[in-house]
């Protein structure tokens, strides 16, 4: 394999290795059905409640020293129900909705067979590390649900560290765990703000952005070294096969892997 100089590959979890977004949609659909069939909500009310919860999740700021994630998320549902239905707070219904959402989402978090095969094969040549941001309980439950532990030499959850991605400290901690240098590592993830920026901050050899849209955006910031449409395209990139599905990002006009000018697309082995 064309992995000269690359000793470790770091993977993000959510929407990189597992489709958390799709699992979340399935979970919301289940809650909407139950609100309508068992709790006298009409379709509009059920959708509005779930929309409000999802908005609260996006803005969520969790301090585990003040409240556990379970209580916080039950509170999200309690507030959303009251905001839409009015009346007094309904803690019991909020609790039911939260656990139905959580359980359904976890049931649909799977590590695809193709992804398992890719990871198993890559691990023959390089060390693999899973690096995910988020609350410890939530992320560990996801890791357990998709049973991805056997495919990694180490797993690091941001909520268990002093700083999360994109802070360079967590990336350097991961390098120490594997006994490798940042310049020997590649970061793969779907988030420009955390995965790509973090890999750049830490001085990684390369960053690979998972962008599932057909056409890469023109104004990408930060600038990843490479763009692929699926994590399954990664072996083709590492092997320097020039896969047709590969989108090489040349926005910078510089080969950041070897610090030389790059008028032609470069691979990780340049």
């Amino acid at each position: 394999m064309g992995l000269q100089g690359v000793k470790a590959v770091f993977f993000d979890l959510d929407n990189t290795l597992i489709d958390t977004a799709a699992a979340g949609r399935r979970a919301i659909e289940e809650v909407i059905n139950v609100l309508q069939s068992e709790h006298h909500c009409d379709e509009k009310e059920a959708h509005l409640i779930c929309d409000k919860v999802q908005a609260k999740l996006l803005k969520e700021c969790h301090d585990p020293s003040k409240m556990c994630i379970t209580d916080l998320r039950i509170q999200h549902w309690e507030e959303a129900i009251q905001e839409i239905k009015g009346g007094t707070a309904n803690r019991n219904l909020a609790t039911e909705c939260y656990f139905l959402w959580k359980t359904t989402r976890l049931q649909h978090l799977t590590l695809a067979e193709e992804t398992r095969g890719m990871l198993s094969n890559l691990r023959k040549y390089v060390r693999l590390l899973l690096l995910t941001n988020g609350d410890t309980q939530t992320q560990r439950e996801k890791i357990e649900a998709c049973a991805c532990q056997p495919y990694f030499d180490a797993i690091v959850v941001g909520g268990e560290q002093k700083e999360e991605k994109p802070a360079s400290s967590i990336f350097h901690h991961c390098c120490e765990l594997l006994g490798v240098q940042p310049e020997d590592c590649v970061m793969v993830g779907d988030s420009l703000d955390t995965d790509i920026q973090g890999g750049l901050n830490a001085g990684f050899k390369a960053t690979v952005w998972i962008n599932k849209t057909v056409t890469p955006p023109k104004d990408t910031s930060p600038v990843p070294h490479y763009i692929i449409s699926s994590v399954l395209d990664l072996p083709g990139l590492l092997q320097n096969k020039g896969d047709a599905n590969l989108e090489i990002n040349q926005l910078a006009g510089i080969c950041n892997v070897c610090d030389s000018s790059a008028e032609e697309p470069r691979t990780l082995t340049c």
Side-chain angles (χ1 to χ4, degrees):
M1 296 180 72
L3 292 173
Q4 293 92 327
V6 176
K7 296 180 181 178
V9 179
F10 291 23
F11 287 92
D12 172 54
L13 178 64
D14 294 302
N15 301 311
T16 296
L17 292 177
I18 59 174
D19 197 342
T20 310
R25 289 192 294 270
R26 294 288 296 272
I28 287 295
E29 289 171 3
E30 188 67 24
V31 175
I32 288 173
N33 290 335
V34 169
L35 284 172
Q36 291 182 254
S37 62
E38 299 181 18
H39 296 287
H40 312 294
C41 287
D42 60 35
E43 183 178 359
K44 182 179 180 180
E45 288 176 331
H47 278 277
L48 286 173
I49 288 169
C50 290
D51 287 346
K52 281 191 172 289
V53 168
Q54 292 182 93
K56 293 175 188 293
L57 288 170
L58 287 173
K59 298 177 182 178
E60 186 174 83
C61 184
H62 177 231
D63 184 348
S65 67
K66 296 180 179 179
M67 180 183 293
C68 74
I69 194 67
T70 297
D71 287 341
L72 177 62
R73 291 187 169 172
I74 289 174
Q75 182 177 296
H76 292 335
W77 284 98
E78 188 174 16
E79 291 172 351
I81 293 166
Q82 191 172 23
E83 288 165 9
I84 298 304
K85 297 287 286 182
T88 58
N90 192 335
R91 182 76 174 182
N92 289 337
L93 177 56
T95 301
E96 179 183 342
C97 289
Y98 166 68
F99 280 106
L100 176 61
W101 170 82
K102 172 183 171 178
T103 302
T104 305
R105 187 171 74 148
L106 288 174
Q107 287 172 347
H108 288 93
L109 289 178
T110 58
L111 193 63
E113 193 62 38
E114 296 90 342
T115 305
R116 294 175 185 271
M118 178 204 68
L119 293 172
S120 295
N121 189 53
L122 280 180
R123 202 173 175 203
K124 297 175 184 177
Y125 304 95
V126 295
R127 307 202 74 185
L128 302 184
L129 182 140
L130 181 65
L131 176 55
T132 176
N133 275 2
D135 168 74
T136 298
Q137 176 185 322
T138 301
Q139 296 309 101
R140 289 292 176 183
E141 287 173 344
K142 291 176 186 175
I143 291 165
E144 186 71 26
C146 70
C148 65
Q149 303 95 318
Y151 301 96
F152 293 96
D153 296 287
I155 294 175
V156 176
V157 176
E160 298 171 357
Q161 305 299 317
K162 292 181 179 179
E163 294 182 298
E164 294 188 306
K165 297 180 289 186
S168 60
S169 63
I170 193 169
F171 287 86
H172 292 158
H173 168 69
C174 292
C175 290
E176 290 174 4
L177 287 178
L178 297 185
V180 296
Q181 296 300 313
E183 57 268 25
D184 299 329
C185 301
V186 176
M187 179 67 211
V188 182
D190 71 300
S191 171
L192 289 171
D193 293 337
T194 58
D195 302 316
I196 303 308
Q197 187 63 64
L200 295 172
N201 290 345
F204 273 24
K205 184 177 184 68
T207 55
V208 182
W209 182 37
I210 308 295
N211 176 31
K212 297 178 182 179
T213 61
V214 177
T215 305
K218 294 181 179 179
D219 298 318
T220 301
S221 181
V223 179
H225 296 87
Y226 301 95
I227 300 175
I228 55 178
S229 61
S230 165
V231 72
L232 297 177
D233 293 331
L234 183 65
L237 173 59
L238 295 177
Q239 293 178 63
N240 187 19
K241 287 186 176 180
D243 194 304
N245 293 324
L246 209 58
E247 295 287 354
I248 304 297
N249 186 354
Q250 293 179 280
L251 295 176
I254 296 293
C255 176
N256 292 320
V257 178
C258 63
D259 293 327
S260 61
S261 62
E263 296 181 0
E264 297 298 327
R266 299 296 186 108
T267 71
L268 298 189
T269 58
C270 63

